[in-house]
Amino acid sequence: MYVDLQKDDGVALLTISRPEALNAMNVQLLEELNEAISRVERDNDVRVLVITGAGKAFVAGADIAHMGGFTPEQAKEWSELGQGILARLENVKKPVIAAVNGYALGGGTELAMACDIRVASDRAIFGQPEVKLGMIAGFGGTQRLPRLVGPGKAKEMLFTGDHYDAAAALAMGLVNEVVPAEELVGYCLDMAKKIASNGTEAVRLSKQAVNGGLDLPLKEALRLETALYSLVFSTHEPREGCSAFLEKREPKWTSS
Ligand code: CAA
């Protein structure tokens, strides 16, 4: 097993562990990741997912041993497999926080970018070194990176294949925060619990509004926001949230 999933108090912690290859993604690891996403999706007790890596890597990329002999057709299937799983993760109906503990190269940076929020340890290293291997990023890197950091910085990363430390990742907007390595997972779990204490549907629809709106012109995106704002009022959450505020008590989100 390369993927471990633990849950506690509304938060699931997914740890990727393939130490012999610095958590590089092979077919089995991708399948286990896909299955873990399905479990998180189905489990109503899980409100937020945190993803991290065991050891000195988050994920050191796609498995280089697997890719060298690809035919163009096999390369297409591999790219579609990885992209499909990362797109599922991006659109899972619960917030996902990447706790980037170490090397996040190639597919590792791409995995982090498919998460909603990225927090880096001060030991994290990012990069898209595919060109050093004579290939291009294939799990979304050429598309999510420019959307996050702008086309100039993205092209610099994709053309040079350089490594970028956590401070550089913070400066370019690739990560939200940098925290000391020993505090990383606790910091992300606390953030996850804070999110889990808010209205479940409200958080879910906030994610849907941002993700859906990014693909649309502003006028249409604002119509989407109105539709989702209206939709949240078909749940008990706005009544409960507003009553709790006015009555100076904590809200109870589960309808009983
Ligand atoms: N695939 C397969 N094996 C990998 C790997 C990868 N992406 N990254 C590391 N490993 C293996 C190494 O081969 C090594 O195995 P052995 O002990 O059997 O020799 C083991 O993990 C430890 O690695 P190193 O000895 O290299 O460790 P290091 O501390 O000296 O260096 C590193 C760490 C800088 C991360 C270095 O391992 C490295 O550069 N890795 C490759 C990173 C990379 O190029 N990633 C992009 C892959 S392409 C991709 O992801 C395409 C895509 O978009 C889909």
Side-chain angles (χ1 to χ4, degrees), residues 18-22 24-25 56 60-65 67 78-79 103 105-108 110 128-130 132-133 135-141 163:
R18 192 185 166 216
E20 67 278 15
L22 299 183
M25 297 189 283
K56 69 175 183 179
D63 191 329
I64 296 170
M67 296 181 293
W78 178 241
S79 171
Y103 288 113
L105 297 172
E110 291 170 310
Q128 296 285 167
E130 288 85 353
K132 290 180 183 293
L133 301 164
M135 63 180 81
I136 75 168
F139 287 2
H163 288 183

PDB file of all heavy atoms in Angstrom, residues 18-22 24-25 56 60-65 67 78-79 103 105-108 110 128-130 132-133 135-141 163, ligand 1:
ATOM      1  N   ARG A  18       5.987   5.925  -0.513  1.00  0.00           N
ATOM      2  CA  ARG A  18       6.719   4.955  -1.353  1.00  0.00           C
ATOM      3  C   ARG A  18       8.190   5.335  -1.233  1.00  0.00           C
ATOM      4  O   ARG A  18       8.801   5.883  -2.161  1.00  0.00           O
ATOM      5  CB  ARG A  18       6.229   5.074  -2.805  1.00  0.00           C
ATOM      6  CG  ARG A  18       6.705   3.948  -3.691  1.00  0.00           C
ATOM      7  CD  ARG A  18       6.307   4.154  -5.154  1.00  0.00           C
ATOM      8  NE  ARG A  18       7.066   3.245  -5.974  1.00  0.00           N
ATOM      9  CZ  ARG A  18       7.530   3.512  -7.191  1.00  0.00           C
ATOM     10  NH1 ARG A  18       7.304   4.678  -7.767  1.00  0.00           N
ATOM     11  NH2 ARG A  18       8.240   2.622  -7.845  1.00  0.00           N
ATOM     12  N   PRO A  19       8.764   5.097  -0.044  1.00  0.00           N
ATOM     13  CA  PRO A  19      10.061   5.689   0.299  1.00  0.00           C
ATOM     14  C   PRO A  19      11.187   5.309  -0.656  1.00  0.00           C
ATOM     15  O   PRO A  19      12.097   6.118  -0.894  1.00  0.00           O
ATOM     16  CB  PRO A  19      10.335   5.171   1.717  1.00  0.00           C
ATOM     17  CG  PRO A  19       9.318   4.131   2.001  1.00  0.00           C
ATOM     18  CD  PRO A  19       8.193   4.291   1.042  1.00  0.00           C
ATOM     19  N   GLU A  20      11.117   4.102  -1.232  1.00  0.00           N
ATOM     20  CA  GLU A  20      12.216   3.671  -2.105  1.00  0.00           C
ATOM     21  C   GLU A  20      12.322   4.518  -3.376  1.00  0.00           C
ATOM     22  O   GLU A  20      13.361   4.513  -4.042  1.00  0.00           O
ATOM     23  CB  GLU A  20      12.070   2.174  -2.454  1.00  0.00           C
ATOM     24  CG  GLU A  20      10.887   1.786  -3.328  1.00  0.00           C
ATOM     25  CD  GLU A  20       9.566   1.623  -2.571  1.00  0.00           C
ATOM     26  OE1 GLU A  20       9.461   2.067  -1.413  1.00  0.00           O
ATOM     27  OE2 GLU A  20       8.623   1.053  -3.164  1.00  0.00           O
ATOM     28  N   ALA A  21      11.270   5.270  -3.711  1.00  0.00           N
ATOM     29  CA  ALA A  21      11.315   6.123  -4.912  1.00  0.00           C
ATOM     30  C   ALA A  21      10.846   7.542  -4.593  1.00  0.00           C
ATOM     31  O   ALA A  21      10.332   8.242  -5.462  1.00  0.00           O
ATOM     32  CB  ALA A  21      10.455   5.513  -6.020  1.00  0.00           C
ATOM     33  N   LEU A  22      11.072   7.973  -3.359  1.00  0.00           N
ATOM     34  CA  LEU A  22      10.674   9.317  -2.922  1.00  0.00           C
ATOM     35  C   LEU A  22       9.223   9.633  -3.305  1.00  0.00           C
ATOM     36  O   LEU A  22       8.897  10.722  -3.771  1.00  0.00           O
ATOM     37  CB  LEU A  22      11.639  10.379  -3.483  1.00  0.00           C
ATOM     38  CG  LEU A  22      13.106  10.243  -3.041  1.00  0.00           C
ATOM     39  CD1 LEU A  22      13.946  11.389  -3.594  1.00  0.00           C
ATOM     40  CD2 LEU A  22      13.237  10.215  -1.530  1.00  0.00           C
ATOM     41  N   ALA A  24       7.419   8.663  -5.727  1.00  0.00           N
ATOM     42  CA  ALA A  24       7.103   8.852  -7.152  1.00  0.00           C
ATOM     43  C   ALA A  24       5.849   8.061  -7.516  1.00  0.00           C
ATOM     44  O   ALA A  24       5.605   6.963  -7.003  1.00  0.00           O
ATOM     45  CB  ALA A  24       8.287   8.408  -8.013  1.00  0.00           C
ATOM     46  N   MET A  25       5.077   8.623  -8.428  1.00  0.00           N
ATOM     47  CA  MET A  25       3.768   8.056  -8.759  1.00  0.00           C
ATOM     48  C   MET A  25       3.871   7.004  -9.869  1.00  0.00           C
ATOM     49  O   MET A  25       4.216   7.337 -11.006  1.00  0.00           O
ATOM     50  CB  MET A  25       2.818   9.168  -9.199  1.00  0.00           C
ATOM     51  CG  MET A  25       2.553  10.165  -8.086  1.00  0.00           C
ATOM     52  SD  MET A  25       1.231  11.339  -8.478  1.00  0.00           S
ATOM     53  CE  MET A  25       2.059  12.440  -9.553  1.00  0.00           C
ATOM     54  N   LYS A  56      11.235  12.429   3.158  1.00  0.00           N
ATOM     55  CA  LYS A  56      11.751  13.729   2.717  1.00  0.00           C
ATOM     56  C   LYS A  56      11.097  14.236   1.439  1.00  0.00           C
ATOM     57  O   LYS A  56      11.483  15.292   0.933  1.00  0.00           O
ATOM     58  CB  LYS A  56      13.278  13.680   2.558  1.00  0.00           C
ATOM     59  CG  LYS A  56      13.794  12.825   1.414  1.00  0.00           C
ATOM     60  CD  LYS A  56      15.319  12.981   1.318  1.00  0.00           C
ATOM     61  CE  LYS A  56      15.861  12.185   0.140  1.00  0.00           C
ATOM     62  NZ  LYS A  56      17.301  12.320  -0.019  1.00  0.00           N
ATOM     63  N   ALA A  60       8.067  12.988  -5.594  1.00  0.00           N
ATOM     64  CA  ALA A  60       9.196  13.407  -6.458  1.00  0.00           C
ATOM     65  C   ALA A  60       8.860  13.252  -7.942  1.00  0.00           C
ATOM     66  O   ALA A  60       9.769  13.141  -8.771  1.00  0.00           O
ATOM     67  CB  ALA A  60      10.450  12.637  -6.095  1.00  0.00           C
ATOM     68  N   GLY A  61       7.571  13.231  -8.271  1.00  0.00           N
ATOM     69  CA  GLY A  61       7.169  13.217  -9.681  1.00  0.00           C
ATOM     70  C   GLY A  61       6.544  11.907 -10.091  1.00  0.00           C
ATOM     71  O   GLY A  61       6.305  11.013  -9.274  1.00  0.00           O
ATOM     72  N   ALA A  62       6.255  11.831 -11.378  1.00  0.00           N
ATOM     73  CA  ALA A  62       5.828  10.558 -11.942  1.00  0.00           C
ATOM     74  C   ALA A  62       7.045   9.629 -11.950  1.00  0.00           C
ATOM     75  O   ALA A  62       8.193  10.086 -11.914  1.00  0.00           O
ATOM     76  CB  ALA A  62       5.294  10.780 -13.348  1.00  0.00           C
ATOM     77  N   ASP A  63       6.774   8.323 -11.986  1.00  0.00           N
ATOM     78  CA  ASP A  63       7.847   7.332 -11.892  1.00  0.00           C
ATOM     79  C   ASP A  63       8.681   7.322 -13.181  1.00  0.00           C
ATOM     80  O   ASP A  63       8.193   6.931 -14.250  1.00  0.00           O
ATOM     81  CB  ASP A  63       7.227   5.953 -11.650  1.00  0.00           C
ATOM     82  CG  ASP A  63       8.283   4.922 -11.276  1.00  0.00           C
ATOM     83  OD1 ASP A  63       9.443   5.053 -11.749  1.00  0.00           O
ATOM     84  OD2 ASP A  63       7.958   4.003 -10.520  1.00  0.00           O
ATOM     85  N   ILE A  64       9.924   7.766 -13.058  1.00  0.00           N
ATOM     86  CA  ILE A  64      10.788   7.903 -14.242  1.00  0.00           C
ATOM     87  C   ILE A  64      11.074   6.536 -14.865  1.00  0.00           C
ATOM     88  O   ILE A  64      11.157   6.403 -16.091  1.00  0.00           O
ATOM     89  CB  ILE A  64      12.094   8.657 -13.861  1.00  0.00           C
ATOM     90  CG1 ILE A  64      11.740  10.091 -13.430  1.00  0.00           C
ATOM     91  CG2 ILE A  64      13.081   8.674 -15.024  1.00  0.00           C
ATOM     92  CD1 ILE A  64      12.888  10.872 -12.814  1.00  0.00           C
ATOM     93  N   ALA A  65      11.164   5.503 -14.016  1.00  0.00           N
ATOM     94  CA  ALA A  65      11.433   4.157 -14.546  1.00  0.00           C
ATOM     95  C   ALA A  65      10.293   3.674 -15.449  1.00  0.00           C
ATOM     96  O   ALA A  65      10.489   2.837 -16.333  1.00  0.00           O
ATOM     97  CB  ALA A  65      11.627   3.180 -13.388  1.00  0.00           C
ATOM     98  N   MET A  67       8.409   5.626 -17.490  1.00  0.00           N
ATOM     99  CA  MET A  67       8.058   6.451 -18.654  1.00  0.00           C
ATOM    100  C   MET A  67       9.006   6.366 -19.846  1.00  0.00           C
ATOM    101  O   MET A  67       8.600   6.659 -20.975  1.00  0.00           O
ATOM    102  CB  MET A  67       7.950   7.926 -18.224  1.00  0.00           C
ATOM    103  CG  MET A  67       6.835   8.189 -17.226  1.00  0.00           C
ATOM    104  SD  MET A  67       6.716   9.935 -16.764  1.00  0.00           S
ATOM    105  CE  MET A  67       8.240  10.166 -15.873  1.00  0.00           C
ATOM    106  N   TRP A  78      -1.037   7.641 -20.266  1.00  0.00           N
ATOM    107  CA  TRP A  78      -0.467   7.971 -18.950  1.00  0.00           C
ATOM    108  C   TRP A  78      -0.869   9.389 -18.540  1.00  0.00           C
ATOM    109  O   TRP A  78      -1.276   9.653 -17.406  1.00  0.00           O
ATOM    110  CB  TRP A  78       1.046   7.802 -19.035  1.00  0.00           C
ATOM    111  CG  TRP A  78       1.843   8.135 -17.809  1.00  0.00           C
ATOM    112  CD1 TRP A  78       2.809   9.095 -17.720  1.00  0.00           C
ATOM    113  CD2 TRP A  78       1.801   7.499 -16.528  1.00  0.00           C
ATOM    114  NE1 TRP A  78       3.355   9.099 -16.473  1.00  0.00           N
ATOM    115  CE2 TRP A  78       2.761   8.127 -15.709  1.00  0.00           C
ATOM    116  CE3 TRP A  78       1.049   6.460 -15.992  1.00  0.00           C
ATOM    117  CZ2 TRP A  78       2.985   7.769 -14.388  1.00  0.00           C
ATOM    118  CZ3 TRP A  78       1.261   6.097 -14.660  1.00  0.00           C
ATOM    119  CH2 TRP A  78       2.222   6.741 -13.875  1.00  0.00           C
ATOM    120  N   SER A  79      -0.741  10.319 -19.489  1.00  0.00           N
ATOM    121  CA  SER A  79      -1.125  11.703 -19.213  1.00  0.00           C
ATOM    122  C   SER A  79      -2.613  11.780 -18.879  1.00  0.00           C
ATOM    123  O   SER A  79      -3.020  12.450 -17.916  1.00  0.00           O
ATOM    124  CB  SER A  79      -0.796  12.575 -20.437  1.00  0.00           C
ATOM    125  OG  SER A  79      -1.336  13.859 -20.300  1.00  0.00           O
ATOM    126  N   TYR A 103      10.300  17.307  -1.258  1.00  0.00           N
ATOM    127  CA  TYR A 103      10.357  17.407  -2.718  1.00  0.00           C
ATOM    128  C   TYR A 103       8.963  17.271  -3.341  1.00  0.00           C
ATOM    129  O   TYR A 103       8.260  16.271  -3.119  1.00  0.00           O
ATOM    130  CB  TYR A 103      11.243  16.298  -3.296  1.00  0.00           C
ATOM    131  CG  TYR A 103      12.706  16.499  -3.043  1.00  0.00           C
ATOM    132  CD1 TYR A 103      13.420  15.636  -2.217  1.00  0.00           C
ATOM    133  CD2 TYR A 103      13.390  17.561  -3.639  1.00  0.00           C
ATOM    134  CE1 TYR A 103      14.775  15.818  -1.983  1.00  0.00           C
ATOM    135  CE2 TYR A 103      14.750  17.755  -3.416  1.00  0.00           C
ATOM    136  CZ  TYR A 103      15.438  16.892  -2.585  1.00  0.00           C
ATOM    137  OH  TYR A 103      16.777  17.075  -2.359  1.00  0.00           O
ATOM    138  N   LEU A 105       8.231  17.612  -7.031  1.00  0.00           N
ATOM    139  CA  LEU A 105       8.785  17.861  -8.368  1.00  0.00           C
ATOM    140  C   LEU A 105       7.885  17.233  -9.424  1.00  0.00           C
ATOM    141  O   LEU A 105       7.268  16.181  -9.180  1.00  0.00           O
ATOM    142  CB  LEU A 105      10.200  17.289  -8.459  1.00  0.00           C
ATOM    143  CG  LEU A 105      11.207  17.942  -7.498  1.00  0.00           C
ATOM    144  CD1 LEU A 105      12.536  17.188  -7.502  1.00  0.00           C
ATOM    145  CD2 LEU A 105      11.432  19.418  -7.851  1.00  0.00           C
ATOM    146  N   GLY A 106       7.824  17.843 -10.610  1.00  0.00           N
ATOM    147  CA  GLY A 106       7.018  17.289 -11.693  1.00  0.00           C
ATOM    148  C   GLY A 106       5.604  17.001 -11.214  1.00  0.00           C
ATOM    149  O   GLY A 106       4.886  17.899 -10.760  1.00  0.00           O
ATOM    150  N   GLY A 107       5.221  15.716 -11.266  1.00  0.00           N
ATOM    151  CA  GLY A 107       3.887  15.316 -10.816  1.00  0.00           C
ATOM    152  C   GLY A 107       3.596  15.702  -9.368  1.00  0.00           C
ATOM    153  O   GLY A 107       2.424  15.790  -8.976  1.00  0.00           O
ATOM    154  N   GLY A 108       4.628  15.955  -8.562  1.00  0.00           N
ATOM    155  CA  GLY A 108       4.425  16.382  -7.170  1.00  0.00           C
ATOM    156  C   GLY A 108       3.921  17.813  -7.097  1.00  0.00           C
ATOM    157  O   GLY A 108       2.975  18.124  -6.360  1.00  0.00           O
ATOM    158  N   GLU A 110       2.428  19.145  -9.563  1.00  0.00           N
ATOM    159  CA  GLU A 110       1.113  19.045 -10.232  1.00  0.00           C
ATOM    160  C   GLU A 110       0.040  18.537  -9.267  1.00  0.00           C
ATOM    161  O   GLU A 110      -1.097  19.024  -9.279  1.00  0.00           O
ATOM    162  CB  GLU A 110       1.239  18.128 -11.461  1.00  0.00           C
ATOM    163  CG  GLU A 110       2.081  18.777 -12.555  1.00  0.00           C
ATOM    164  CD  GLU A 110       2.440  17.830 -13.695  1.00  0.00           C
ATOM    165  OE1 GLU A 110       2.926  16.714 -13.409  1.00  0.00           O
ATOM    166  OE2 GLU A 110       2.240  18.192 -14.860  1.00  0.00           O
ATOM    167  N   GLN A 128       9.287  21.894 -12.017  1.00  0.00           N
ATOM    168  CA  GLN A 128       8.759  21.101 -13.142  1.00  0.00           C
ATOM    169  C   GLN A 128       9.968  20.704 -13.994  1.00  0.00           C
ATOM    170  O   GLN A 128      10.233  21.310 -15.025  1.00  0.00           O
ATOM    171  CB  GLN A 128       7.763  21.943 -13.951  1.00  0.00           C
ATOM    172  CG  GLN A 128       6.522  22.362 -13.198  1.00  0.00           C
ATOM    173  CD  GLN A 128       5.472  21.281 -12.973  1.00  0.00           C
ATOM    174  OE1 GLN A 128       4.569  21.460 -12.192  1.00  0.00           O
ATOM    175  NE2 GLN A 128       5.583  20.136 -13.629  1.00  0.00           N
ATOM    176  N   PRO A 129      10.716  19.662 -13.548  1.00  0.00           N
ATOM    177  CA  PRO A 129      11.988  19.335 -14.220  1.00  0.00           C
ATOM    178  C   PRO A 129      11.849  18.412 -15.436  1.00  0.00           C
ATOM    179  O   PRO A 129      12.845  17.855 -15.896  1.00  0.00           O
ATOM    180  CB  PRO A 129      12.774  18.648 -13.100  1.00  0.00           C
ATOM    181  CG  PRO A 129      11.732  17.995 -12.254  1.00  0.00           C
ATOM    182  CD  PRO A 129      10.498  18.841 -12.348  1.00  0.00           C
ATOM    183  N   GLU A 130      10.623  18.285 -15.971  1.00  0.00           N
ATOM    184  CA  GLU A 130      10.405  17.313 -17.053  1.00  0.00           C
ATOM    185  C   GLU A 130      11.336  17.524 -18.235  1.00  0.00           C
ATOM    186  O   GLU A 130      11.794  16.561 -18.857  1.00  0.00           O
ATOM    187  CB  GLU A 130       8.941  17.357 -17.527  1.00  0.00           C
ATOM    188  CG  GLU A 130       7.938  16.766 -16.551  1.00  0.00           C
ATOM    189  CD  GLU A 130       7.466  17.738 -15.467  1.00  0.00           C
ATOM    190  OE1 GLU A 130       8.015  18.856 -15.380  1.00  0.00           O
ATOM    191  OE2 GLU A 130       6.548  17.367 -14.727  1.00  0.00           O
ATOM    192  N   LYS A 132      14.299  18.327 -18.332  1.00  0.00           N
ATOM    193  CA  LYS A 132      15.620  17.709 -18.105  1.00  0.00           C
ATOM    194  C   LYS A 132      15.591  16.235 -18.506  1.00  0.00           C
ATOM    195  O   LYS A 132      16.635  15.618 -18.735  1.00  0.00           O
ATOM    196  CB  LYS A 132      16.019  17.820 -16.628  1.00  0.00           C
ATOM    197  CG  LYS A 132      16.350  19.246 -16.189  1.00  0.00           C
ATOM    198  CD  LYS A 132      16.739  19.253 -14.723  1.00  0.00           C
ATOM    199  CE  LYS A 132      17.008  20.644 -14.200  1.00  0.00           C
ATOM    200  NZ  LYS A 132      18.190  21.285 -14.769  1.00  0.00           N
ATOM    201  N   LEU A 133      14.374  15.660 -18.544  1.00  0.00           N
ATOM    202  CA  LEU A 133      14.201  14.257 -18.949  1.00  0.00           C
ATOM    203  C   LEU A 133      13.777  14.170 -20.418  1.00  0.00           C
ATOM    204  O   LEU A 133      13.433  13.081 -20.907  1.00  0.00           O
ATOM    205  CB  LEU A 133      13.137  13.587 -18.072  1.00  0.00           C
ATOM    206  CG  LEU A 133      13.420  13.571 -16.565  1.00  0.00           C
ATOM    207  CD1 LEU A 133      12.146  13.243 -15.787  1.00  0.00           C
ATOM    208  CD2 LEU A 133      14.527  12.564 -16.233  1.00  0.00           C
ATOM    209  N   MET A 135      11.072  15.534 -21.711  1.00  0.00           N
ATOM    210  CA  MET A 135       9.616  15.455 -21.902  1.00  0.00           C
ATOM    211  C   MET A 135       8.983  16.727 -21.350  1.00  0.00           C
ATOM    212  O   MET A 135       9.684  17.610 -20.845  1.00  0.00           O
ATOM    213  CB  MET A 135       9.051  14.208 -21.209  1.00  0.00           C
ATOM    214  CG  MET A 135       9.223  14.190 -19.722  1.00  0.00           C
ATOM    215  SD  MET A 135       8.539  12.698 -18.937  1.00  0.00           S
ATOM    216  CE  MET A 135       9.829  11.497 -19.214  1.00  0.00           C
ATOM    217  N   ILE A 136       7.660  16.814 -21.452  1.00  0.00           N
ATOM    218  CA  ILE A 136       6.973  17.972 -20.873  1.00  0.00           C
ATOM    219  C   ILE A 136       6.086  17.505 -19.718  1.00  0.00           C
ATOM    220  O   ILE A 136       5.816  16.314 -19.581  1.00  0.00           O
ATOM    221  CB  ILE A 136       6.141  18.758 -21.923  1.00  0.00           C
ATOM    222  CG1 ILE A 136       4.845  18.032 -22.316  1.00  0.00           C
ATOM    223  CG2 ILE A 136       6.980  19.057 -23.167  1.00  0.00           C
ATOM    224  CD1 ILE A 136       3.880  18.911 -23.108  1.00  0.00           C
ATOM    225  N   ALA A 137       5.662  18.459 -18.908  1.00  0.00           N
ATOM    226  CA  ALA A 137       4.738  18.137 -17.817  1.00  0.00           C
ATOM    227  C   ALA A 137       3.460  17.578 -18.429  1.00  0.00           C
ATOM    228  O   ALA A 137       2.945  18.139 -19.390  1.00  0.00           O
ATOM    229  CB  ALA A 137       4.439  19.395 -17.003  1.00  0.00           C
ATOM    230  N   GLY A 138       2.963  16.485 -17.835  1.00  0.00           N
ATOM    231  CA  GLY A 138       1.791  15.836 -18.441  1.00  0.00           C
ATOM    232  C   GLY A 138       0.616  15.628 -17.520  1.00  0.00           C
ATOM    233  O   GLY A 138      -0.418  15.116 -17.939  1.00  0.00           O
ATOM    234  N   PHE A 139       0.762  16.034 -16.235  1.00  0.00           N
ATOM    235  CA  PHE A 139      -0.353  15.871 -15.292  1.00  0.00           C
ATOM    236  C   PHE A 139      -0.943  17.246 -14.936  1.00  0.00           C
ATOM    237  O   PHE A 139      -1.338  17.489 -13.805  1.00  0.00           O
ATOM    238  CB  PHE A 139       0.100  15.161 -14.012  1.00  0.00           C
ATOM    239  CG  PHE A 139       0.379  13.673 -14.132  1.00  0.00           C
ATOM    240  CD1 PHE A 139       0.262  13.001 -15.342  1.00  0.00           C
ATOM    241  CD2 PHE A 139       0.770  12.935 -13.017  1.00  0.00           C
ATOM    242  CE1 PHE A 139       0.529  11.634 -15.444  1.00  0.00           C
ATOM    243  CE2 PHE A 139       1.038  11.563 -13.103  1.00  0.00           C
ATOM    244  CZ  PHE A 139       0.918  10.916 -14.324  1.00  0.00           C
ATOM    245  N   GLY A 140      -0.957  18.160 -15.909  1.00  0.00           N
ATOM    246  CA  GLY A 140      -1.614  19.462 -15.703  1.00  0.00           C
ATOM    247  C   GLY A 140      -0.677  20.628 -15.465  1.00  0.00           C
ATOM    248  O   GLY A 140      -1.125  21.766 -15.362  1.00  0.00           O
ATOM    249  N   GLY A 141       0.630  20.381 -15.394  1.00  0.00           N
ATOM    250  CA  GLY A 141       1.579  21.439 -15.035  1.00  0.00           C
ATOM    251  C   GLY A 141       1.612  22.613 -15.998  1.00  0.00           C
ATOM    252  O   GLY A 141       1.721  23.768 -15.570  1.00  0.00           O
ATOM    253  N   HIS A 163      14.879  23.942  -9.505  1.00  0.00           N
ATOM    254  CA  HIS A 163      14.228  23.735  -8.213  1.00  0.00           C
ATOM    255  C   HIS A 163      13.969  25.096  -7.565  1.00  0.00           C
ATOM    256  O   HIS A 163      14.790  26.002  -7.678  1.00  0.00           O
ATOM    257  CB  HIS A 163      15.136  22.930  -7.276  1.00  0.00           C
ATOM    258  CG  HIS A 163      15.263  21.487  -7.664  1.00  0.00           C
ATOM    259  ND1 HIS A 163      15.978  20.575  -6.932  1.00  0.00           N
ATOM    260  CD2 HIS A 163      14.744  20.792  -8.709  1.00  0.00           C
ATOM    261  CE1 HIS A 163      15.900  19.377  -7.499  1.00  0.00           C
ATOM    262  NE2 HIS A 163      15.171  19.486  -8.590  1.00  0.00           N
TER     263      HIS A 163
HETATM  264  N1  CAA B   1      10.795   8.313 -10.340  1.00  0.00           N
HETATM  265  C1  CAA B   1      11.386   7.146  -9.979  1.00  0.00           C
HETATM  266  N2  CAA B   1      12.303   7.049  -9.012  1.00  0.00           N
HETATM  267  C2  CAA B   1      12.655   8.181  -8.371  1.00  0.00           C
HETATM  268  C3  CAA B   1      12.087   9.432  -8.696  1.00  0.00           C
HETATM  269  C4  CAA B   1      11.108   9.461  -9.732  1.00  0.00           C
HETATM  270  N3  CAA B   1      10.475  10.616 -10.093  1.00  0.00           N
HETATM  271  N4  CAA B   1      12.649  10.377  -7.909  1.00  0.00           N
HETATM  272  C5  CAA B   1      13.527   9.731  -7.100  1.00  0.00           C
HETATM  273  N5  CAA B   1      13.536   8.398  -7.395  1.00  0.00           N
HETATM  274  C6  CAA B   1      14.348   7.351  -6.751  1.00  0.00           C
HETATM  275  C7  CAA B   1      15.801   7.450  -7.179  1.00  0.00           C
HETATM  276  O1  CAA B   1      16.002   6.818  -8.438  1.00  0.00           O
HETATM  277  C8  CAA B   1      16.497   6.736  -6.034  1.00  0.00           C
HETATM  278  O2  CAA B   1      16.353   5.360  -6.226  1.00  0.00           O
HETATM  279  P1  CAA B   1      17.610   4.358  -5.864  1.00  0.00           P
HETATM  280  O3  CAA B   1      17.821   4.549  -4.384  1.00  0.00           O
HETATM  281  O4  CAA B   1      17.068   3.017  -6.231  1.00  0.00           O
HETATM  282  O5  CAA B   1      18.751   4.842  -6.680  1.00  0.00           O
HETATM  283  C9  CAA B   1      15.635   7.126  -4.824  1.00  0.00           C
HETATM  284  O6  CAA B   1      14.379   7.573  -5.350  1.00  0.00           O
HETATM  285  C10 CAA B   1      16.227   8.260  -4.017  1.00  0.00           C
HETATM  286  O7  CAA B   1      16.489   9.329  -4.915  1.00  0.00           O
HETATM  287  P2  CAA B   1      17.910  10.076  -5.005  1.00  0.00           P
HETATM  288  O8  CAA B   1      19.018   9.140  -4.647  1.00  0.00           O
HETATM  289  O9  CAA B   1      17.986  10.739  -6.346  1.00  0.00           O
HETATM  290  O10 CAA B   1      17.726  11.136  -3.835  1.00  0.00           O
HETATM  291  P3  CAA B   1      18.434  12.567  -3.718  1.00  0.00           P
HETATM  292  O11 CAA B   1      18.103  13.066  -2.348  1.00  0.00           O
HETATM  293  O12 CAA B   1      19.855  12.514  -4.134  1.00  0.00           O
HETATM  294  O13 CAA B   1      17.668  13.492  -4.798  1.00  0.00           O
HETATM  295  C11 CAA B   1      15.727  14.363  -5.949  1.00  0.00           C
HETATM  296  C12 CAA B   1      16.299  13.801  -4.639  1.00  0.00           C
HETATM  297  C13 CAA B   1      16.341  15.739  -6.253  1.00  0.00           C
HETATM  298  C14 CAA B   1      14.224  14.514  -5.734  1.00  0.00           C
HETATM  299  C15 CAA B   1      16.031  13.397  -7.114  1.00  0.00           C
HETATM  300  O14 CAA B   1      15.647  12.083  -6.734  1.00  0.00           O
HETATM  301  C16 CAA B   1      15.315  13.719  -8.382  1.00  0.00           C
HETATM  302  O15 CAA B   1      15.712  14.647  -9.088  1.00  0.00           O
HETATM  303  N6  CAA B   1      14.254  12.974  -8.727  1.00  0.00           N
HETATM  304  C17 CAA B   1      13.546  13.090  -9.978  1.00  0.00           C
HETATM  305  C18 CAA B   1      12.613  14.290  -9.957  1.00  0.00           C
HETATM  306  C19 CAA B   1      11.942  14.449 -11.275  1.00  0.00           C
HETATM  307  O16 CAA B   1      12.564  14.616 -12.306  1.00  0.00           O
HETATM  308  N7  CAA B   1      10.574  14.442 -11.277  1.00  0.00           N
HETATM  309  C20 CAA B   1       9.788  14.625 -12.463  1.00  0.00           C
HETATM  310  C21 CAA B   1       9.405  13.304 -13.044  1.00  0.00           C
HETATM  311  S1  CAA B   1       8.641  13.497 -14.629  1.00  0.00           S
HETATM  312  C22 CAA B   1       7.010  13.849 -14.301  1.00  0.00           C
HETATM  313  O17 CAA B   1       6.588  13.994 -13.176  1.00  0.00           O
HETATM  314  C23 CAA B   1       6.173  13.941 -15.547  1.00  0.00           C
HETATM  315  C24 CAA B   1       4.769  14.350 -15.393  1.00  0.00           C
HETATM  316  O18 CAA B   1       4.390  15.492 -15.370  1.00  0.00           O
HETATM  317  C25 CAA B   1       3.765  13.310 -15.392  1.00  0.00           C
END
